[in-house]
Amino acid sequence: MFKYDRFQQEAIDHINNGHSVIVSAPTGAGKTAIAEHVIDTCINNNTGVIYTAPIKALSNQKFRDFQNRLGDNIGILTGDISLNPEAPVLIMTTEIFRNKILDDQESLKKYRWIIFDEVHYLDNEERGTVWEESLIFLPSHMNLLALSATIPNIKQIAEWIESIHNKPVQTVVETERPVPLHFLFQCQNQVVDSLPALKNIKGLPELPYKFHRQNPRTGYGLNKIGPLIKHIREREGFPCIYFVFGRRRAEDLAKDLCRFDLLPKDDCGKITALYEELCRKFDLTRERSAQEMSDLVKKGIAFHHAGMLPTLKEVIERLFTSRLLKVIFTTETFALGINMPSRSVVFDDLRKFYGRYVRNLKTRDFYQMAGRAGRRSIDTEGYVYCRINPAKLSYNDINRVIYGSPEEVHSQLNTSYATVLNLYEKYRDDLYKIYPLSLHYFQCRKEEQKEALRLIEAKLNLLKDNGYIKNGELTPKGQFAKTVYGYELLLSELYERNVLEQLDEFGLGIMAAAAVFEPRKNQQMLNLSKSARRIRAVCEEIYAHIKQLEISRRIYPLSKEPYFHLSGSIESWLRGTSFEKTLLLTDTDEGEIVRYFRMSVQILREIGDSEVASPLLKEKIRETARVINRDIIDAEKQLRET
Ligand SMILES: Nc1ncnc2c1ncn2[C@@H]1O[C@H](COP(=O)(O)OP(=O)(O)OP(=O)(O)O)[C@@H](O)[C@H]1O
Ligand SMILES: [Mg+2]
């Protein structure tokens, strides 16, 4: 055990005084220790505590970490995993917590604390609403511990929560990093060890390239990876996390680096043995992807991204924590909360794709990743290397990314139809009085507030005019819709038209996979079977109708469109085919297939849990979900057995 830092002690004192707390501290500062204090306190007092994390990899890691300390007192509930769900310390996704608050508060009675890890997710465009709703409807018997990366408006967030719950919310801020960061740059193939030194490299413009008269794209020497790795090695900068913004890029760089052998002979034997043991444990020995990775691993290199099998990702994570891996090429999700520190971090680029276009990294995102450099009590400094292409970035751009102040957290409120229905059930038309409780209302200007309220009204009216609500009550269709977050209108129409009831197990699988699937740009759809074509025709007709309804009422973003790219694979998987053969029926990455199949199981379960589904439909759904959720798709197995 260590001695608490000032900010940890301050937070713990507030907690001991029974107060809710929001903590803002840099990546790797030690926020978990505060969460652990709450957990220990609750166990000692015989009450319960809920811990929510934004991504499943993080929930799983926390489950494993806490399990070592807490044994049977820990449980996890994430939509595709449910282990020991009555435990006093319960890890869940924020979505599940929100659903429970809205629909099943009774089950939260014994939990006196809620911990939101990475609460700056409030600002996430797609999922931020879930955090906001969880905070708005926080049951009064629960205290709050919210942990955030560095954000400048933490006081404002605390004031907002205080204003709606009438109880004090203390703020604790830490700005210093326990291990300081040292920034280095590679530009025109030279590596320099400060931003001012970068200025001396010929060719780096002061201003963004778009302000340049002549075309700056010509004449720049491209950065090569060899000299960079050599530099890191000479500085004893391994282990190193190399962040890239693209899966193929991660793989290509890893394979390119394979020319170098980064491991001493002894370690090569050790890592090979460990890798083989882990592959056996996770049942990966026959997977081609695991075999391919093996050549890299032997040289101390690996890659890690969302397109990989979740089990292989976990093997790589474990290799990395063993300290035998020297360089891991990975995408951004690796930066989130997972305790995977290294001595160096490399940024392949300081720009990334933000939904619509490529732009410079937000300072907050930059530090989420950069903060992985420098391990407490091991390193005196963490090295952060930025690879600079002067045709794309100016000196001022770089300065802003690194030394600008982190962006404020802004509400991304976008109330779902399911939430509107759940609230309507409780508050009827008083649900409009809920909006002024939101962070959105707290932060926004008059016009934005008006627009937000208009959107809620438009959604409610759409639901009223289309048979979800009649005479002030939810109809069966409305009851159905309120449990299928994210896919409300499509699935409810299918339900109402009796389509769901008529589908067999294959049809249900096809439909679920289409609801959740999101194709890449220009991704081809392979040939569909007759039944898939039939289901697609119905879904497309329904979706066209929904889209037209939403456009005419100026509702945005539009409901998600169904895509049938995975129909062939899920049919084959449901027939009992091996995963390997199933892969051949799509050009989607294997890790993505696992993810979408798991999401399909989840949505099927949500449909099956609906009170208005017929016993026959429930039975068919149980069977479909059971068959999909086998072998490599079964997330629980990965957690339970290894
Ligand atoms: N007071 C302390 N003294 C020494 N080491 C500490 C202290 N507090 C935490 N640590 C160690 O620091 C490391 C990082 O801690 P932790 O994972 O809690 O960071 P975090 O603030 O949650 O960061 P992230 O933004 O990545 O979630 C852990 O290995 C932890 O054991
Ligand atoms: Mg953390």
Side-chain angles (χ1 to χ4, degrees):
M1 240 340 244
F2 37 72
K3 189 175 170 298
Y4 287 133
D5 289 342
R6 188 269 315 159
F7 83 97
Q8 291 168 327
Q9 191 58 56
E10 209 176 300
I12 286 169
D13 291 344
H14 289 310
I15 289 162
N16 292 345
N17 288 331
H19 287 160
S20 289
V21 188
I22 303 192
V23 181
S24 154
T27 304
K31 297 184 281 290
T32 312
I34 306 168
E36 284 173 348
H37 176 76
V38 170
I39 290 173
D40 292 342
T41 310
C42 288
I43 296 243
N44 289 335
N45 296 343
N46 268 320
T47 58
V49 46
I50 290 174
Y51 175 101
T52 72
I55 58 170
K56 286 176 183 164
L58 186 53
S59 326
N60 292 352
Q61 202 196 31
K62 292 289 175 195
F63 178 73
R64 287 220 168 87
D65 289 353
F66 292 152
Q67 205 175 27
N68 294 333
R69 289 189 333 120
L70 302 171
D72 277 353
N73 281 329
I74 185 95
I76 181 167
L77 207 53
T78 64
D80 44 32
I81 294 172
S82 165
L83 293 173
N84 206 6
E86 300 291 322
V89 182
L90 192 54
I91 295 173
M92 52 175 82
T93 49
T94 315
E95 275 78 1
I96 300 236
F97 181 69
R98 186 271 317 267
N99 299 357
K100 281 188 182 296
I101 296 190
L102 289 182
D103 199 32
D104 183 19
Q105 283 221 10
E106 204 41 38
S107 67
L108 298 173
K109 235 165 135 187
K110 71 172 177 196
Y111 298 98
R112 304 307 292 269
W113 279 85
I114 168 78
I115 301 169
F116 291 107
D117 203 354
E118 315 282 342
V119 75
H120 51 275
Y121 250 73
L122 262 171
D123 199 335
N124 185 280
E125 193 176 330
E126 276 144 48
R127 296 171 59 210
T129 303
V130 178
W131 275 259
E132 188 159 343
E133 289 170 357
S134 300
L135 288 164
I136 296 173
F137 300 108
L138 202 64
S140 57
H141 74 277
M142 292 185 103
N143 266 336
L144 161 81
L145 171 64
L147 305 172
S148 168
T150 305
I151 47 169
N153 59 332
I154 178 170
K155 276 257 185 292
Q156 183 196 36
I157 308 281
E159 280 166 21
W160 163 58
I161 301 171
E162 285 185 332
S163 77
I164 56 176
H165 290 295
N166 289 318
K167 59 179 179 190
V169 177
Q170 309 291 348
T171 54
V172 172
V173 178
E174 175 58 275
T175 48
E176 292 290 302
R177 291 186 35 88
V179 183
L181 298 179
H182 182 156
F183 297 103
L184 301 99
F185 303 86
Q186 185 187 29
C187 181
Q188 310 269 65
N189 252 325
Q190 288 179 56
V191 181
V192 294
D193 78 349
S194 73
L195 193 54
L198 181 63
K199 231 174 175 168
N200 298 332
I201 296 183
K202 225 173 125 254
L204 184 72
E206 285 272 331
L207 291 171
Y209 67 96
K210 41 188 176 287
F211 298 128
H212 279 252
R213 289 230 180 93
Q214 78 264 61
N215 180 359
R217 258 172 259 244
T218 50
Y220 289 123
L222 279 180
N223 279 326
K224 296 209 176 68
I225 192 160
L228 176 67
I229 296 298
K230 187 161 164 276
H231 191 278
I232 298 175
R233 192 211 290 249
E234 279 164 6
R235 280 217 167 205
E236 300 188 355
F238 295 145
C240 164
I241 302 177
Y242 189 118
F243 284 109
V244 298
F245 302 106
R247 298 172 191 176
R248 290 296 158 256
R249 176 93 178 144
E251 295 185 15
D252 291 346
L253 282 171
K255 285 170 190 162
D256 186 26
L257 196 63
C258 222
R259 293 176 283 135
F260 301 81
D261 193 345
L262 305 179
L263 281 184
K265 231 194 168 65
D266 270 8
D267 285 358
C268 176
K270 272 192 223 156
I271 200 169
T272 310
L274 179 60
Y275 184 67
E276 282 169 5
E277 184 199 322
L278 286 167
C279 282
R280 266 196 305 278
K281 210 166 169 181
F282 284 90
D283 204 12
L284 283 165
T285 18
R286 282 178 309 124
E287 295 294 336
R288 191 147 48 99
S289 46
Q291 289 158 6
E292 280 173 13
M293 187 73 78
S294 159
D295 296 336
L296 298 173
V297 164
K298 286 179 181 147
K299 306 210 159 154
I301 302 163
F303 58 85
H304 181 286
H305 59 66
M308 290 160 53
L309 294 175
T311 40
L312 185 54
K313 272 165 56 181
E314 188 160 347
V315 168
I316 299 302
E317 286 161 21
R318 292 196 186 191
L319 280 189
F320 195 76
T321 18
S322 79
R323 306 231 174 109
L324 289 163
L325 268 187
K326 298 301 171 202
V327 184
I328 184 168
F329 293 89
T330 182
T331 48
E332 215 179 340
T333 44
F334 204 73
L336 208 84
I338 305 185
N339 189 13
M340 220 59 83
S342 64
R343 181 163 290 171
S344 319
V345 158
V346 177
F347 284 87
D348 195 40
D349 195 352
L350 291 182
R351 299 152 6 102
K352 76 157 200 173
F353 185 69
Y354 280 99
R356 255 151 279 168
Y357 15 65
V358 174
R359 33 163 292 192
N360 296 345
L361 279 177
K362 291 183 185 169
T363 300
R364 180 157 22 102
D365 295 345
F366 175 79
Y367 278 98
Q368 183 95 50
M369 290 176 260
R372 300 264 85 104
R375 297 156 302 175
R376 283 193 82 153
S377 32
I378 303 179
D379 304 325
T380 47
E381 273 188 325
Y383 303 132
V384 180
Y385 290 85
C386 306
R387 302 188 79 186
I388 305 295
N389 176 351
K392 304 277 180 179
L393 279 162
S394 68
Y395 181 84
N396 291 343
D397 285 329
I398 302 165
N399 196 31
R400 210 169 314 118
V401 171
I402 302 179
Y403 297 107
S405 60
E407 294 72 15
E408 294 197 343
V409 161
H410 276 290
S411 164
Q412 302 290 339
L413 188 73
N414 168 29
T415 313
S416 64
Y417 293 105
T419 298
V420 170
L421 286 164
N422 276 297
L423 293 180
Y424 186 83
E425 208 173 24
K426 272 200 204 127
Y427 305 103
R428 307 290 163 208
D429 285 312
D430 278 351
L431 86 84
Y432 294 116
K433 294 187 187 152
I434 305 282
Y435 170 66
L437 303 178
S438 66
L439 177 63
H440 193 272
Y441 182 86
F442 198 80
Q443 283 184 324
C444 289
R445 287 173 291 124
K446 271 259 148 33
E447 306 85 82
E448 292 166 296
Q449 293 175 348
K450 264 201 190 138
E451 176 58 10
L453 207 52
R454 184 196 68 75
L455 259 177
I456 297 175
E457 203 174 341
K459 284 179 183 166
L460 182 61
N461 286 334
L462 182 150
L463 293 167
K464 283 183 173 173
D465 297 345
N466 288 276
Y468 293 81
I469 295 170
K470 278 259 152 61
N471 307 325
E473 300 286 341
L474 301 199
T475 61
K477 186 185 182 184
Q479 292 290 347
F480 182 88
K482 78 170 197 193
T483 61
V484 289
Y485 281 91
Y487 314 99
E488 297 92 336
L489 302 189
L490 176 72
L491 295 181
S492 305
E493 291 302 323
L494 286 168
Y495 164 79
E496 193 192 31
R497 297 182 192 195
N498 226 13
V499 179
L500 286 186
E501 296 280 347
Q502 286 165 15
L503 291 175
D504 62 5
E505 280 81 356
F506 292 98
L508 286 167
I510 292 170
M511 184 274 313
V516 299
F517 185 71
E518 195 71 65
R520 296 188 308 272
K521 220 166 146 190
N522 304 325
Q523 187 172 352
Q524 296 284 316
M525 187 158 23
L526 303 175
N527 285 340
L528 295 182
S529 69
K530 213 164 136 198
S531 56
R533 281 204 302 272
R534 230 181 11 242
I535 298 169
R536 183 171 72 153
V538 179
C539 286
E540 287 191 339
E541 187 220 312
I542 291 176
Y543 183 74
H545 174 64
I546 292 171
K547 189 169 163 187
Q548 177 253 320
L549 278 180
E550 293 187 317
I551 289 175
S552 69
R553 290 162 193 259
R554 288 190 290 130
I555 293 172
Y556 56 85
L558 294 174
S559 288
K560 185 192 167 300
E561 189 173 342
Y563 293 100
F564 290 80
H565 299 64
L566 287 186
S567 300
S569 341
I570 200 149
E571 273 176 304
S572 132
W573 183 245
L574 276 164
R575 235 179 274 122
T577 314
S578 71
F579 189 69
E580 206 182 346
K581 289 202 180 126
T582 300
L583 277 181
L584 302 175
L585 298 172
T586 167
D587 59 349
T588 307
D589 286 346
E590 48 190 5
E592 291 278 301
I593 298 182
V594 173
R595 192 168 72 90
Y596 284 121
F597 282 12
R598 287 178 180 175
M599 286 169 76
S600 305
V601 171
Q602 196 172 327
I603 189 70
L604 284 168
R605 286 186 179 148
E606 281 174 20
I607 297 173
D609 285 344
S610 168
E611 282 165 26
V612 296
S614 75
L616 179 65
L617 178 59
K618 281 179 194 269
E619 181 49 41
K620 275 192 287 188
I621 281 180
R622 242 193 317 274
E623 185 55 16
T624 313
R626 187 186 66 78
V627 181
I628 299 177
N629 202 28
R630 68 174 195 275
D631 305 338
I632 203 150
I633 307 300
D634 184 357
E636 221 169 273
K637 191 164 144 219
Q638 186 181 337
L639 202 59
R640 211 183 318 119
E641 291 174 6
T642 42

